[in-house]
Amino acid sequence: MDPYIVLAKEIQGGTFSALRRQNALTQEEMAERLHISCRAYSDLERRKSCASGVTVLFAASMMGLKELHAPVRRFIEGVRAIEQGER
């Protein structure tokens, strides 16, 4: 599997789950806010799929800049590690 997709799934799954819990939302409520199905949302949290760009933007709109910085930074660091053969 593409290492960038694996990286994105890891980061998104944790980020979406944390965001949902911080906002005290059920998976159904979170799916509603992201404009996706409950199944699609569950797959994101379980790291079975990657979010679309639109879904990422909906999630970003729920986050503050400080919260948004951490997953973006982790992705950039992961990409660098992949490109340097460390991952």
Side-chain angles (χ1 to χ4, degrees):
M1 179 177 282
D2 184 320
Y4 301 103
I5 299 296
V6 172
L7 175 64
K9 286 179 182 180
E10 289 173 9
I11 293 169
Q12 287 180 355
T15 300
F16 282 106
S17 178
L19 181 61
R20 178 176 66 81
R21 287 184 172 92
Q22 287 171 358
N23 287 282
L25 299 172
T26 65
Q27 285 192 342
E28 292 80 14
E29 291 167 332
M30 187 68 170
E32 224 174 88
R33 291 204 182 176
L34 297 175
H35 301 272
I36 59 176
S37 71
C38 293
R39 174 66 185 257
Y41 180 76
S42 175
D43 285 349
L44 290 175
E45 274 200 15
R46 291 181 296 133
R47 296 162 173 87
K48 287 191 164 211
S49 65
C50 283
S52 70
V54 172
T55 300
V56 169
L57 291 172
F58 276 121
S61 72
M62 294 173 66
M63 301 169 89
L65 288 178
K66 185 177 180 182
E67 292 173 301
L68 188 57
H69 178 76
V72 172
R73 187 186 75 248
R74 285 194 311 270
F75 184 76
I76 291 168
E77 290 169 354
V79 167
R80 288 181 181 147
I82 290 167
E83 291 175 352
Q84 292 174 359
E86 298 170 6
R87 186 176 164 109

Coordinates of all heavy atoms in Angstrom, one line a residue:
M1 N 0.8 -1.2 0.0 CA 0.0 0.0 0.0 C 0.9 1.2 0.0 O 2.0 1.3 0.6 CB -0.9 0.0 1.2 CG -1.8 1.2 1.3 SD -3.0 1.3 2.6 CE -4.2 0.2 2.0
D2 N 0.4 2.3 -0.6 CA 1.1 3.5 -0.7 C 1.4 4.1 0.7 O 0.5 4.3 1.5 CB 0.3 4.5 -1.5 CG 0.9 5.9 -1.7 OD1 1.6 6.4 -0.8 OD2 0.7 6.4 -2.8
P3 N 2.7 4.3 1.0 CA 3.0 4.8 2.4 C 2.4 6.1 2.7 O 2.2 6.4 3.9 CB 4.6 4.8 2.4 CG 4.9 5.0 0.9 CD 3.9 4.2 0.2
Y4 N 2.2 7.0 1.8 CA 1.5 8.3 2.0 C 0.1 8.1 2.5 O -0.4 8.8 3.3 CB 1.7 9.2 0.8 CG 3.1 9.4 0.4 CD1 3.6 8.8 -0.7 CD2 3.9 10.3 1.2 CE1 4.9 9.0 -1.1 CE2 5.2 10.5 0.8 CZ 5.7 9.9 -0.3 OH 7.0 10.1 -0.7
I5 N -0.6 7.1 1.8 CA -2.0 6.8 2.2 C -2.0 6.2 3.6 O -2.9 6.6 4.4 CB -2.6 5.8 1.2 CG1 -2.7 6.4 -0.2 CG2 -4.0 5.4 1.7 CD1 -3.5 7.7 -0.3
V6 N -1.1 5.3 3.9 CA -1.0 4.8 5.3 C -0.8 5.9 6.3 O -1.5 5.9 7.3 CB 0.1 3.7 5.4 CG1 0.3 3.2 6.8 CG2 -0.2 2.5 4.4
L7 N 0.1 6.8 6.0 CA 0.4 7.9 6.9 C -0.8 8.7 7.1 O -1.2 9.1 8.2 CB 1.6 8.7 6.3 CG 1.9 10.0 7.1 CD1 2.4 9.7 8.5 CD2 2.9 10.8 6.3
A8 N -1.5 9.1 6.0 CA -2.7 9.9 6.1 C -3.8 9.2 6.9 O -4.5 9.9 7.7 CB -3.2 10.2 4.7
K9 N -4.0 7.9 6.7 CA -5.0 7.2 7.5 C -4.7 7.2 9.0 O -5.6 7.4 9.8 CB -5.1 5.7 7.0 CG -5.8 5.5 5.7 CD -5.8 4.1 5.3 CE -6.4 3.8 4.0 NZ -6.4 2.4 3.7
E10 N -3.4 7.0 9.3 CA -3.0 7.1 10.7 C -3.3 8.4 11.4 O -3.9 8.5 12.5 CB -1.5 6.8 10.9 CG -1.1 5.4 10.6 CD 0.4 5.2 10.5 OE1 1.1 6.1 10.9 OE2 0.8 4.1 10.1
I11 N -2.9 9.5 10.7 CA -3.1 10.8 11.2 C -4.6 11.2 11.3 O -5.0 11.7 12.3 CB -2.2 11.8 10.5 CG1 -0.8 11.5 10.7 CG2 -2.6 13.3 10.9 CD1 0.2 12.3 9.8
Q12 N -5.3 11.0 10.2 CA -6.7 11.4 10.1 C -7.5 10.6 11.2 O -8.3 11.2 11.8 CB -7.2 11.1 8.7 CG -6.8 12.1 7.7 CD -7.4 11.9 6.4 OE1 -8.1 10.9 6.1 NE2 -7.0 12.7 5.4
G13 N -7.3 9.3 11.3 CA -8.1 8.5 12.2 C -8.0 9.1 13.7 O -9.0 9.3 14.3
G14 N -6.8 9.3 14.1 CA -6.6 9.9 15.4 C -7.1 11.3 15.6 O -7.7 11.6 16.6
T15 N -6.9 12.1 14.6 CA -7.4 13.5 14.6 C -8.9 13.6 14.6 O -9.4 14.3 15.4 CB -6.8 14.3 13.4 OG1 -5.4 14.2 13.4 CG2 -7.2 15.7 13.4
F16 N -9.5 12.8 13.8 CA -11.0 12.9 13.7 C -11.6 12.4 15.0 O -12.5 13.0 15.6 CB -11.6 12.1 12.6 CG -11.5 12.8 11.2 CD1 -10.6 12.4 10.3 CD2 -12.3 13.8 11.0 CE1 -10.5 13.0 9.1 CE2 -12.3 14.5 9.7 CZ -11.3 14.1 8.8
S17 N -11.0 11.3 15.6 CA -11.5 10.7 16.8 C -11.4 11.7 18.0 O -12.3 11.9 18.8 CB -10.8 9.4 17.1 OG -11.2 8.9 18.3
A18 N -10.2 12.3 18.1 CA -9.9 13.3 19.1 C -10.9 14.5 19.0 O -11.4 15.0 20.0 CB -8.5 13.8 19.1
L19 N -11.1 15.0 17.8 CA -11.9 16.1 17.5 C -13.4 15.8 18.0 O -14.0 16.6 18.6 CB -11.9 16.5 16.1 CG -12.7 17.7 15.6 CD1 -12.3 19.0 16.4 CD2 -12.6 17.9 14.1
R20 N -13.8 14.6 17.6 CA -15.2 14.2 18.0 C -15.3 14.2 19.5 O -16.3 14.7 20.0 CB -15.5 12.8 17.4 CG -16.8 12.3 17.7 CD -17.1 11.0 17.1 NE -16.3 9.9 17.5 CZ -16.5 9.2 18.6 NH1 -17.5 9.4 19.4 NH2 -15.7 8.2 18.9
R21 N -14.4 13.6 20.2 CA -14.4 13.5 21.6 C -14.3 14.9 22.3 O -15.0 15.1 23.3 CB -13.3 12.5 22.1 CG -13.7 11.1 21.8 CD -12.7 10.1 22.4 NE -13.1 8.8 22.2 CZ -12.8 8.0 21.2 NH1 -12.0 8.5 20.2 NH2 -13.2 6.8 21.1
Q22 N -13.5 15.7 21.8 CA -13.4 17.1 22.3 C -14.7 17.8 22.3 O -15.0 18.7 23.1 CB -12.3 17.9 21.6 CG -10.9 17.5 21.9 CD -9.9 18.1 21.0 OE1 -10.2 18.9 20.1 NE2 -8.6 17.8 21.2
N23 N -15.4 17.6 21.2 CA -16.7 18.2 21.0 C -17.9 17.4 21.6 O -19.1 17.8 21.4 CB -16.9 18.5 19.5 CG -16.1 19.6 19.1 OD1 -16.4 20.8 19.3 ND2 -15.0 19.3 18.4
A24 N -17.6 16.3 22.3 CA -18.6 15.5 22.9 C -19.7 15.1 21.9 O -20.9 15.2 22.2 CB -19.2 16.2 24.1
L25 N -19.3 14.6 20.7 CA -20.2 14.2 19.7 C -20.2 12.7 19.5 O -19.2 12.0 19.8 CB -19.8 14.8 18.4 CG -19.8 16.3 18.3 CD1 -19.1 16.8 17.0 CD2 -21.2 16.9 18.4
T26 N -21.3 12.1 19.1 CA -21.3 10.7 18.7 C -20.8 10.6 17.3 O -20.6 11.7 16.6 CB -22.8 10.2 18.7 OG1 -23.5 10.9 17.6 CG2 -23.5 10.4 20.0
Q27 N -20.5 9.4 16.9 CA -20.0 9.3 15.5 C -21.1 9.7 14.5 O -20.7 10.3 13.5 CB -19.7 7.8 15.2 CG -18.4 7.4 15.8 CD -17.9 6.0 15.3 OE1 -18.6 5.2 14.7 NE2 -16.6 5.7 15.6
E28 N -22.3 9.5 14.8 CA -23.4 10.0 13.9 C -23.4 11.5 13.8 O -23.6 12.1 12.7 CB -24.8 9.5 14.4 CG -24.9 8.0 14.3 CD -24.3 7.2 15.4 OE1 -23.9 7.8 16.5 OE2 -24.1 6.0 15.3
E29 N -23.3 12.2 14.9 CA -23.3 13.6 14.9 C -22.0 14.2 14.2 O -22.1 15.2 13.5 CB -23.3 14.2 16.4 CG -24.6 13.9 17.1 CD -24.5 14.2 18.6 OE1 -23.4 14.0 19.2 OE2 -25.6 14.5 19.2
M30 N -20.9 13.5 14.4 CA -19.7 14.0 13.7 C -19.8 13.8 12.2 O -19.5 14.7 11.4 CB -18.5 13.2 14.2 CG -17.2 13.7 13.7 SD -16.8 15.3 14.3 CE -15.1 15.4 13.8
A31 N -20.4 12.7 11.8 CA -20.6 12.4 10.4 C -21.5 13.5 9.8 O -21.3 14.0 8.7 CB -21.3 11.0 10.2
E32 N -22.5 13.9 10.5 CA -23.4 14.9 10.1 C -22.7 16.2 9.8 O -22.9 16.9 8.8 CB -24.5 15.1 11.1 CG -25.9 15.3 10.6 CD -26.9 15.3 11.7 OE1 -27.2 16.4 12.2 OE2 -27.4 14.3 12.0
R33 N -21.8 16.6 10.8 CA -21.1 17.8 10.7 C -20.1 17.8 9.5 O -19.7 18.9 9.0 CB -20.3 18.1 12.0 CG -21.3 18.5 13.1 CD -20.6 19.3 14.1 NE -21.5 19.6 15.2 CZ -21.2 20.3 16.3 NH1 -19.9 20.7 16.4 NH2 -22.0 20.5 17.2
L34 N -19.6 16.6 9.2 CA -18.7 16.5 8.1 C -19.3 16.2 6.7 O -18.7 16.1 5.7 CB -17.7 15.4 8.4 CG -16.8 15.6 9.6 CD1 -15.9 14.3 9.8 CD2 -15.9 16.8 9.5
H35 N -20.7 16.1 6.8 CA -21.5 15.9 5.6 C -21.1 14.6 4.9 O -21.0 14.5 3.6 CB -21.4 17.1 4.6 CG -21.9 18.3 5.2 ND1 -23.2 18.7 5.2 CD2 -21.2 19.3 5.9 CE1 -23.3 19.9 5.8 NE2 -22.1 20.2 6.3
I36 N -20.9 13.5 5.7 CA -20.6 12.2 5.2 C -21.5 11.2 5.9 O -22.1 11.5 6.9 CB -19.1 11.8 5.3 CG1 -18.7 11.8 6.8 CG2 -18.2 12.7 4.5 CD1 -17.2 11.3 7.0
S37 N -21.5 10.0 5.4 CA -22.3 8.9 6.0 C -21.7 8.5 7.3 O -20.5 8.6 7.5 CB -22.5 7.7 5.1 OG -21.3 7.0 4.9
C38 N -22.5 7.8 8.2 CA -22.0 7.3 9.4 C -20.9 6.2 9.1 O -19.9 6.1 9.8 CB -23.1 6.7 10.2 SG -24.2 7.9 10.9
R39 N -21.2 5.4 8.1 CA -20.2 4.3 7.7 C -18.9 5.0 7.3 O -17.8 4.5 7.7 CB -20.8 3.5 6.6 CG -19.9 2.4 6.1 CD -19.5 1.4 7.2 NE -18.6 0.5 6.7 CZ -18.9 -0.8 6.3 NH1 -20.1 -1.2 6.3 NH2 -17.9 -1.6 5.9
A40 N -19.0 6.0 6.5 CA -17.7 6.7 6.0 C -17.0 7.2 7.2 O -15.7 7.1 7.2 CB -18.1 7.7 5.0
Y41 N -17.7 7.8 8.1 CA -17.0 8.4 9.3 C -16.4 7.3 10.1 O -15.2 7.4 10.5 CB -17.9 9.2 10.2 CG -17.1 9.8 11.3 CD1 -16.3 10.8 11.1 CD2 -17.2 9.1 12.6 CE1 -15.5 11.3 12.2 CE2 -16.4 9.6 13.6 CZ -15.5 10.6 13.4 OH -14.7 11.1 14.4
S42 N -17.1 6.2 10.4 CA -16.5 5.1 11.1 C -15.3 4.5 10.5 O -14.3 4.2 11.1 CB -17.6 4.0 11.2 OG -17.1 2.8 11.9
D43 N -15.3 4.4 9.1 CA -14.1 4.0 8.4 C -12.9 4.9 8.6 O -11.8 4.5 8.7 CB -14.4 3.8 6.9 CG -15.2 2.6 6.6 OD1 -15.4 1.8 7.5 OD2 -15.7 2.5 5.5
L44 N -13.2 6.2 8.7 CA -12.1 7.2 9.0 C -11.5 6.9 10.4 O -10.2 6.9 10.5 CB -12.6 8.6 8.9 CG -13.0 9.2 7.6 CD1 -13.6 10.6 7.7 CD2 -11.8 9.2 6.6
E45 N -12.3 6.8 11.4 CA -11.8 6.6 12.7 C -11.0 5.3 12.8 O -10.0 5.2 13.6 CB -12.9 6.6 13.8 CG -13.2 8.0 14.2 CD -13.9 8.0 15.6 OE1 -14.0 7.0 16.3 OE2 -14.5 9.1 15.9
R46 N -11.5 4.3 12.1 CA -10.8 2.9 12.1 C -9.7 2.8 11.2 O -9.1 1.8 11.0 CB -11.8 1.8 11.9 CG -12.9 1.7 13.0 CD -13.9 0.6 12.8 NE -14.7 0.9 11.6 CZ -15.0 0.1 10.6 NH1 -14.5 -1.2 10.6 NH2 -15.7 0.4 9.6
R47 N -9.3 3.9 10.5 CA -8.2 4.0 9.6 C -8.3 3.1 8.4 O -7.3 2.6 7.9 CB -6.9 3.8 10.4 CG -6.6 4.8 11.4 CD -5.6 4.3 12.4 NE -5.1 5.4 13.4 CZ -5.7 5.7 14.5 NH1 -6.9 5.1 14.8 NH2 -5.3 6.6 15.3
K48 N -9.6 2.9 8.0 CA -9.8 2.1 6.8 C -9.9 2.9 5.5 O -9.8 2.3 4.4 CB -11.1 1.3 7.0 CG -11.0 0.2 8.0 CD -12.3 -0.7 7.9 CE -12.0 -2.0 8.6 NZ -12.7 -3.1 8.0
S49 N -10.0 4.2 5.7 CA -10.1 5.1 4.5 C -9.5 6.4 4.8 O -9.3 6.8 6.0 CB -11.5 5.2 4.0 OG -12.3 5.9 4.9
C50 N -9.3 7.2 3.8 CA -8.8 8.6 3.9 C -10.0 9.5 3.6 O -10.8 9.3 2.8 CB -7.7 8.9 2.9 SG -6.1 8.2 3.4
A51 N -10.0 10.7 4.3 CA -11.0 11.7 4.1 C -10.7 12.4 2.8 O -9.6 12.6 2.4 CB -11.0 12.7 5.2
S52 N -11.8 12.8 2.1 CA -11.7 13.7 0.9 C -11.2 15.1 1.4 O -11.3 15.4 2.6 CB -13.0 13.8 0.2 OG -13.9 14.6 1.0
G53 N -10.8 15.8 0.4 CA -10.4 17.2 0.7 C -11.5 18.0 1.3 O -11.3 18.8 2.3
V54 N -12.7 17.8 0.8 CA -13.9 18.6 1.4 C -14.1 18.2 2.8 O -14.3 19.0 3.7 CB -15.1 18.3 0.5 CG1 -16.4 18.9 1.2 CG2 -14.9 18.9 -0.9
T55 N -14.0 16.9 3.1 CA -14.2 16.4 4.5 C -13.1 17.0 5.4 O -13.4 17.4 6.5 CB -14.2 14.9 4.6 OG1 -15.3 14.4 3.7 CG2 -14.4 14.4 6.0
V56 N -11.9 17.0 4.9 CA -10.8 17.6 5.7 C -11.1 19.1 6.0 O -10.9 19.6 7.1 CB -9.4 17.4 5.0 CG1 -8.3 18.2 5.7 CG2 -9.0 16.0 5.0
L57 N -11.6 19.8 5.0 CA -11.9 21.2 5.2 C -13.0 21.4 6.2 O -13.0 22.3 7.1 CB -12.2 21.9 3.9 CG -11.0 22.0 3.0 CD1 -11.5 22.5 1.6 CD2 -10.0 22.9 3.6
F58 N -14.1 20.5 6.2 CA -15.1 20.6 7.2 C -14.5 20.4 8.6 O -14.9 21.1 9.5 CB -16.2 19.6 6.9 CG -17.3 20.1 5.9 CD1 -17.5 19.4 4.8 CD2 -18.0 21.2 6.2 CE1 -18.4 19.8 3.8 CE2 -19.0 21.7 5.2 CZ -19.2 21.0 4.1
A59 N -13.7 19.4 8.7 CA -13.0 19.1 10.0 C -12.2 20.3 10.4 O -12.2 20.7 11.6 CB -12.2 17.9 10.0
A60 N -11.4 20.9 9.5 CA -10.6 22.1 9.8 C -11.4 23.2 10.3 O -11.0 24.0 11.2 CB -9.8 22.5 8.6
S61 N -12.6 23.4 9.8 CA -13.5 24.5 10.2 C -14.0 24.3 11.7 O -14.4 25.2 12.3 CB -14.7 24.6 9.3 OG -15.6 23.6 9.5
M62 N -13.9 23.0 12.2 CA -14.3 22.8 13.6 C -13.1 23.0 14.5 O -13.3 22.9 15.7 CB -14.8 21.3 13.7 CG -16.0 21.0 12.9 SD -16.4 19.3 13.0 CE -16.8 19.0 14.7
M63 N -11.9 23.1 14.0 CA -10.7 23.2 14.8 C -10.1 24.6 14.9 O -10.3 25.4 14.0 CB -9.6 22.3 14.2 CG -10.0 20.8 14.0 SD -8.8 19.9 13.0 CE -7.7 19.4 14.3
G64 N -9.4 24.9 16.0 CA -8.7 26.1 16.0 C -7.4 26.0 15.3 O -6.9 24.8 15.0
L65 N -6.7 27.1 15.1 CA -5.4 27.0 14.4 C -4.4 26.2 15.1 O -3.6 25.4 14.5 CB -4.9 28.4 14.1 CG -5.6 29.2 13.0 CD1 -5.0 30.6 12.9 CD2 -5.6 28.5 11.7
K66 N -4.4 26.2 16.4 CA -3.4 25.5 17.2 C -3.7 24.0 17.1 O -2.8 23.2 16.9 CB -3.5 25.9 18.7 CG -2.5 25.2 19.6 CD -2.6 25.7 21.0 CE -1.5 25.0 21.8 NZ -1.6 25.5 23.2
E67 N -5.0 23.6 17.1 CA -5.3 22.2 16.9 C -5.0 21.7 15.5 O -4.6 20.5 15.3 CB -6.8 22.0 17.1 CG -7.3 22.2 18.6 CD -8.8 22.1 18.6 OE1 -9.5 23.0 18.0 OE2 -9.3 21.3 19.3
L68 N -5.2 22.5 14.5 CA -4.9 22.2 13.1 C -3.4 22.0 12.8 O -3.1 21.2 12.0 CB -5.5 23.3 12.2 CG -5.6 23.0 10.7 CD1 -6.3 21.7 10.4 CD2 -6.2 24.2 10.0
H69 N -2.6 22.7 13.5 CA -1.2 22.7 13.3 C -0.6 21.3 13.6 O 0.3 20.9 12.8 CB -0.5 23.8 14.2 CG 1.0 23.8 14.0 ND1 1.6 24.3 12.9 CD2 2.0 23.3 14.8 CE1 2.9 24.2 13.1 NE2 3.2 23.6 14.2
A70 N -1.0 20.7 14.6 CA -0.4 19.4 15.0 C -0.5 18.3 14.0 O 0.5 17.7 13.6 CB -0.9 18.9 16.4
P71 N -1.7 18.0 13.4 CA -1.8 16.9 12.4 C -1.1 17.3 11.1 O -0.5 16.4 10.5 CB -3.3 16.7 12.2 CG -4.0 17.9 12.8 CD -3.0 18.5 13.8
V72 N -1.1 18.6 10.8 CA -0.4 19.0 9.6 C 1.1 18.8 9.7 O 1.8 18.3 8.9 CB -0.7 20.4 9.2 CG1 0.2 20.9 8.1 CG2 -2.2 20.6 8.8
R73 N 1.6 19.2 10.9 CA 3.0 19.0 11.2 C 3.4 17.5 11.2 O 4.4 17.1 10.6 CB 3.4 19.6 12.6 CG 4.9 19.6 12.8 CD 5.2 20.1 14.3 NE 4.9 19.1 15.2 CZ 3.9 19.1 16.1 NH1 3.2 20.2 16.2 NH2 3.7 18.1 16.9
R74 N 2.6 16.7 11.8 CA 2.8 15.2 11.8 C 2.9 14.7 10.4 O 3.7 13.8 10.1 CB 1.8 14.5 12.6 CG 2.0 14.6 14.1 CD 1.2 13.6 15.0 NE -0.2 13.5 14.6 CZ -1.2 14.2 15.2 NH1 -0.9 15.1 16.1 NH2 -2.4 14.0 14.8
F75 N 2.0 15.1 9.5 CA 2.0 14.7 8.1 C 3.3 15.1 7.4 O 3.9 14.3 6.8 CB 0.8 15.2 7.4 CG 0.7 14.6 6.0 CD1 0.3 13.3 5.8 CD2 1.0 15.4 4.9 CE1 0.2 12.8 4.5 CE2 1.0 14.9 3.6 CZ 0.5 13.6 3.4
I76 N 3.7 16.3 7.6 CA 4.9 16.8 6.9 C 6.1 16.0 7.4 O 6.9 15.6 6.6 CB 5.1 18.3 7.2 CG1 4.0 19.1 6.4 CG2 6.5 18.8 6.8 CD1 3.9 20.6 6.8
E77 N 6.2 15.8 8.7 CA 7.3 15.0 9.3 C 7.3 13.6 8.7 O 8.3 13.0 8.4 CB 7.3 15.0 10.8 CG 7.6 16.4 11.4 CD 7.3 16.5 12.9 OE1 6.7 15.5 13.5 OE2 7.6 17.5 13.5
G78 N 6.1 13.0 8.6 CA 6.0 11.7 8.1 C 6.4 11.6 6.7 O 7.0 10.6 6.2
V79 N 6.0 12.6 5.9 CA 6.4 12.6 4.4 C 7.9 12.7 4.3 O 8.5 11.9 3.5 CB 5.7 13.8 3.7 CG1 6.4 14.0 2.4 CG2 4.2 13.5 3.6
R80 N 8.5 13.5 5.1 CA 10.0 13.6 5.1 C 10.6 12.3 5.5 O 11.6 11.9 4.8 CB 10.4 14.7 6.0 CG 10.1 16.1 5.5 CD 10.6 17.2 6.5 NE 10.3 18.5 5.9 CZ 10.0 19.5 6.7 NH1 10.1 19.5 8.0 NH2 9.7 20.7 6.1
A81 N 10.1 11.6 6.5 CA 10.6 10.3 6.9 C 10.5 9.3 5.7 O 11.4 8.5 5.5 CB 10.0 9.8 8.1
I82 N 9.4 9.3 5.1 CA 9.2 8.4 4.0 C 10.2 8.7 2.9 O 10.8 7.8 2.3 CB 7.7 8.5 3.4 CG1 6.7 7.9 4.4 CG2 7.6 7.8 2.1 CD1 5.3 8.2 4.1
E83 N 10.3 9.9 2.5 CA 11.2 10.3 1.4 C 12.7 10.1 1.8 O 13.5 9.9 0.9 CB 11.0 11.7 1.0 CG 9.6 11.9 0.4 CD 9.2 13.3 0.1 OE1 9.9 14.3 0.5 OE2 8.2 13.5 -0.6
Q84 N 13.0 10.0 3.0 CA 14.4 9.7 3.4 C 14.6 8.2 3.7 O 15.6 7.8 4.2 CB 14.8 10.6 4.7 CG 14.8 12.0 4.4 CD 15.0 12.9 5.6 OE1 15.1 12.4 6.7 NE2 15.1 14.2 5.4
G85 N 13.6 7.4 3.5 CA 13.6 6.0 3.6 C 13.6 5.6 5.1 O 14.0 4.4 5.4
E86 N 13.1 6.4 6.0 CA 13.1 6.1 7.4 C 11.8 5.4 7.8 O 11.7 5.0 9.0 CB 13.3 7.3 8.2 CG 14.7 8.0 8.0 CD 14.8 9.4 8.6 OE1 13.9 9.8 9.4 OE2 15.8 10.0 8.4
R87 N 10.9 5.3 7.0 CA 9.6 4.8 7.3 C 9.1 3.7 6.4 O 9.3 3.8 5.2 CB 8.6 6.0 7.4 CG 7.2 5.6 7.9 CD 6.3 6.8 8.0 NE 5.0 6.3 8.1 CZ 4.3 6.4 9.2 NH1 4.8 7.0 10.3 NH2 3.0 6.0 9.3

